Amino acid sequence: MKNSKTGLELAAILHKKAEELLSKNISSPETHLPDVETLKLIHELDVHQIELEMQNEELLLAKKQAEINAEKHINLYDFAPSAYFTFSKDGEIMELNYRGAKLLGKERSFLKKRRFALFVSDETRPIFNLFLEKIFDEKTKENCEVILSIIPDIPTYVLLSGIPSNDGEQCFVTMLDIGQRKKAEEKIRESEEKYRSLFNTNRDSITIFRINPDGKPSNFVEANIAKTDIFGYTKEELMSLNIRDLEILSKKKTRKNRLESLKSNGRIHFETIIKNKKGNKRNVEIESIFINYGNKPAIMNIIRDITERKQMENNAKKAHENLVTILEAIPDLLFEVDIDGRIYHYHSHHSDLLAIPPDVFLGTLFHEALPSDAANVYLAAIQEANEKGWSTGKQYELDLPQGKHWFELSVSP
């Protein structure tokens, strides 16, 4: 029902009319209101009664809803996964929820009016005191990490976040258990220390760089201690250089081809030549690996100096070439045999002096390839060389297609 008058105005009018009616009834019992006025008054009273009943019902519903909301907020506060506290300026616990009581290991009734600092470790108590002081003095949100000394020798790491109340007499603090985070950080720290130790103590030089958007290598972003042995630069000097400043390439496409292969396979091996700080050339063997460094793609080069190995290989190659040259110049028949007279290798410029073809006698014994008299001379010479270190002068004869030939043996182990 719509009415231009307010509820208070209507109530006043009704109250006044009721008093007038009562007064008239008392002063003159025989006086009666006209029927129309009586019905109108009764109607207004009925309407007002209905309005009051509706208002009462709405008030009851509002009260019930307020109680439900209050219960929800209480439940949210009490059973929240985070610990909630209300501190006084002196750091006394005015209110706390169940999670807060659980972290402190006491009943809520016991903890109220207790100073929170009593549960903080000695080494982090100054941090908590400063945290509380800043909240009330600066009236801003503050954070700090402290250690709770609830269980001896078992620290509980927590993060405190607090804001002052509107009147500035209390502050509201949220406490989170960050023990798992601390353990994870400790594992990461240990892993980083282990990586750094392995990285720096590795005998091979290790450098890390990225690839710029133009496809060219960036300056080095990391290098281990061993890089000085190969390159001769300090780490600071090396950080201003890139692989192109160090490597000697005869073909410009070589580096591009390597990068494409690295992108396809994730890892490649190659040999190349670099120049050190003094300008000296060094042969190196490089293993390139695609890695994730600082959450960004990068290339790690593991570099091993093989200059001495290359020199030894070159020396061995030259010695072999010299030996081949000498052997080619020797006109005699040369055989490589074991102590039992088994033939493994031979060298000769005169195949016509062989009693049988090489494909027949290689791998066989002298007794299987030669007449017994000649074979016995061979074995005697081998035995003498094995005992004395050499044997010379022993002779034997062979009947070859072109006639009889005499041979003299020289044997050395």
Side-chain angles (χ1 to χ4, degrees):
M1 175 179 178
K2 293 184 180 179
N3 196 328
S4 61
K5 293 182 173 58
T6 65
L8 290 175
E9 290 173 341
L10 180 59
I13 292 171
L14 293 175
H15 183 71
K16 184 177 180 181
K17 287 183 177 181
E19 286 183 342
E20 290 175 354
L21 178 60
L22 180 61
S23 176
K24 289 178 181 181
N25 287 338
I26 295 174
S27 61
S28 180
E30 295 179 358
T31 302
H32 296 283
L33 288 174
D35 292 341
V36 174
E37 291 295 325
T38 302
L39 290 174
K40 185 178 179 181
L41 181 59
I42 293 171
H43 175 71
E44 289 184 1
L45 289 172
D46 289 342
V47 170
H48 184 59
Q49 181 179 356
I50 292 172
E51 288 180 345
L52 289 175
E53 290 175 353
M54 292 175 64
Q55 290 177 3
N56 185 56
E57 185 177 350
E58 289 178 356
L59 288 173
L60 289 173
L61 288 173
K63 180 183 178 183
K64 185 176 181 180
Q65 187 62 45
E67 292 174 348
I68 292 173
N69 291 337
E71 185 178 357
K72 285 182 178 179
H73 283 94
I74 291 173
N75 288 337
L76 287 173
Y77 179 85
D78 282 342
F79 300 104
S82 299
Y84 296 137
F85 294 87
T86 301
F87 293 153
S88 68
K89 286 186 175 182
D90 295 328
E92 287 186 354
I93 302 173
M94 310 303 293
E95 292 290 342
L96 74 161
N97 65 352
Y98 287 115
R99 179 59 177 167
K102 184 177 181 180
L103 283 175
L104 296 182
K106 304 290 183 181
E107 294 292 334
R108 286 208 295 180
S109 58
F110 174 84
L111 293 169
K112 287 184 178 181
K113 301 298 181 181
R114 301 276 180 175
R115 293 176 67 89
F116 183 81
L118 297 176
F119 301 94
V120 180
S121 66
D122 294 338
E123 61 267 28
T124 59
R125 192 170 297 147
I127 297 175
F128 171 73
N129 292 335
L130 182 61
F131 160 79
L132 201 63
E133 181 181 335
K134 284 186 175 181
I135 289 177
F136 288 109
D137 290 349
E138 301 178 9
K139 294 180 171 46
T140 58
K141 181 180 178 180
E142 294 292 335
N143 301 292
C144 74
E145 292 183 9
V146 298
I147 301 174
L148 302 181
S149 54
I150 309 301
I151 304 174
D153 301 326
I154 302 179
T156 301
Y157 296 90
V158 295
L159 171 66
L160 301 179
S161 299
I163 56 172
S165 61
N166 292 333
D167 60 11
E169 295 300 317
Q170 298 176 334
C171 68
F172 307 113
V173 176
T174 301
M175 184 170 73
L176 295 177
D177 185 346
I178 57 173
Q180 293 299 321
R181 193 192 80 186
K182 283 292 184 180
K183 289 181 180 178
E185 289 175 352
E186 181 64 19
K187 287 183 179 179
I188 292 173
R189 186 187 63 79
E190 291 176 356
S191 178
E192 287 179 347
E193 289 180 354
K194 182 178 180 181
Y195 154 77
R196 181 61 57 184
S197 176
L198 292 173
F199 185 77
N200 283 325
T201 57
N202 198 305
R203 292 185 300 172
D204 296 329
S205 171
I206 302 176
T207 57
I208 298 175
F209 60 91
R210 305 189 193 281
I211 297 298
N212 292 326
D214 60 3
K216 296 180 180 179
S218 72
N219 287 351
F220 297 112
V221 296
E222 186 58 277
N224 69 343
I225 296 173
K227 60 36 179 100
T228 304
D229 297 334
I230 294 181
F231 301 116
Y233 294 97
T234 65
K235 184 175 181 178
E236 290 72 20
E237 291 172 333
L238 200 63
M239 294 301 102
S240 64
L241 304 174
N242 61 60
I243 190 65
R244 291 179 300 166
D245 299 319
L246 305 174
E247 188 178 15
I248 301 174
L249 288 178
S250 58
K251 296 181 180 179
K252 294 183 178 180
K253 290 185 177 181
T254 301
R255 191 174 289 111
K256 182 179 179 181
N257 293 338
R258 283 187 202 147
L259 182 59
E260 291 176 354
S261 178
L262 183 59
K263 288 179 178 179
S264 300
N265 303 304
R267 180 190 298 257
I268 59 172
H269 293 81
F270 59 92
E271 293 182 5
T272 187
I273 299 174
I274 60 99
K275 59 180 179 180
N276 60 19
K277 186 177 180 179
K278 294 181 179 180
N280 298 326
K281 295 180 180 180
R282 308 293 294 179
N283 294 91
V284 294
E285 180 182 68
I286 299 179
E287 180 179 12
S288 286
I289 308 170
F290 251 128
I291 63 170
N292 187 329
Y293 182 78
N295 295 322
K296 293 181 181 180
I299 295 176
M300 179 173 68
N301 277 351
I302 303 174
I303 307 168
R304 177 168 295 179
D305 191 338
I306 58 172
T307 303
E308 292 183 1
R309 191 186 80 189
K310 279 293 183 182
Q311 291 175 348
M312 292 176 62
E313 290 176 355
N314 290 335
N315 292 338
K317 182 179 180 181
K318 290 180 180 179
H320 177 72
E321 291 174 351
N322 292 337
L323 179 60
V324 170
T325 301
I326 294 172
L327 290 176
E328 291 293 335
I330 296 177
D332 298 331
L333 295 175
L334 300 176
F335 294 91
E336 181 182 351
V337 299
D338 62 14
I339 192 69
D340 297 322
R342 189 175 299 278
I343 307 169
Y344 291 104
H345 184 67
Y346 90 101
H347 177 80
S348 173
H349 289 291
H350 302 283
S351 299
D352 57 331
L353 296 179
L354 298 174
I356 55 178
D359 57 347
V360 176
F361 67 72
L362 285 176
T364 63
L365 297 170
F366 279 124
H367 278 296
E368 298 171 342
L370 297 174
S372 58
D373 291 342
N376 289 335
V377 173
Y378 265 103
L379 292 176
I382 292 171
Q383 186 65 33
E384 183 179 26
N386 185 52
E387 294 175 356
K388 295 182 178 181
W390 73 91
S391 175
T392 60
K394 289 184 169 40
Q395 298 179 355
Y396 68 94
E397 64 175 342
L398 286 178
D399 290 324
L400 300 176
Q402 63 271 35
K404 183 177 290 188
H405 286 261
W406 284 88
F407 300 89
E408 184 177 88
L409 293 177
S410 293
V411 181
S412 63

